Amino acid sequence: MNTLFEQLGGAAAVDLAVDRFYDKVLADERIRHFFTGVDMARQRQHQKNFFTYAFGGAANYSGQTLRVAHRRMVDTQGLADTHFDAVVENLKSTLVELNVADALIDQVIAITESARDDVLGR
């Protein structure tokens, strides 16, 4: 059986989705302030690496844990459920625009939701 990563279209599809997703995030007044001063090329690459791993396209992920990576935003910028909801909304709309099948979108969102408590430090 193909991994979710393969079903989504592999590296090229994940790269395109992440780039479009961050275009939306940076335009979203609810969450764009979290990325002020962030090296977005580096951030996009981290996200591509993480999604590749999370969707079954890589055996390992060498980045920080989600809890560690988001701790500063939780502690000093008030990262909360409403912000996470905005991220999920932007991710879903990106996948819809890229004509990803609903069943695959549901899997991506389920994986994303499974990270909510770690991202929010709970």
Side-chain angles (χ1 to χ4, degrees), residues 89-114:
E89 179 185 312
N90 282 293
L91 180 57
K92 185 172 184 175
S93 69
T94 297
L95 297 173
V96 168
E97 287 174 14
L98 292 173
N99 297 311
V100 174
D102 289 345
L104 297 179
I105 293 174
D106 291 346
Q107 289 179 56
V108 168
I109 298 305
I111 290 168
T112 304
E113 284 291 348
S114 75

Side-chain angles (χ1 to χ4, degrees), residues 1-62:
M1 180 174 183
N2 290 341
T3 65
L4 177 57
F5 178 77
E6 292 166 333
Q7 292 176 61
L8 289 167
V14 169
D15 287 356
L16 177 61
V18 168
D19 287 337
R20 289 211 185 159
F21 163 72
Y22 273 116
D23 290 346
K24 289 180 177 297
V25 165
L26 294 173
D28 189 328
E29 292 182 10
R30 299 171 294 176
I31 53 178
R32 69 180 178 206
H33 64 279
F34 290 106
F35 299 92
T36 301
V38 171
D39 177 344
M40 288 309 297
R42 186 171 180 247
Q43 178 65 31
R44 288 172 194 254
Q45 189 58 54
H46 279 306
Q47 191 67 56
K48 290 170 185 178
N49 292 344
F50 180 74
F51 277 166
T52 297
Y53 166 74
F55 302 155
N60 299 308
Y61 176 70
S62 61

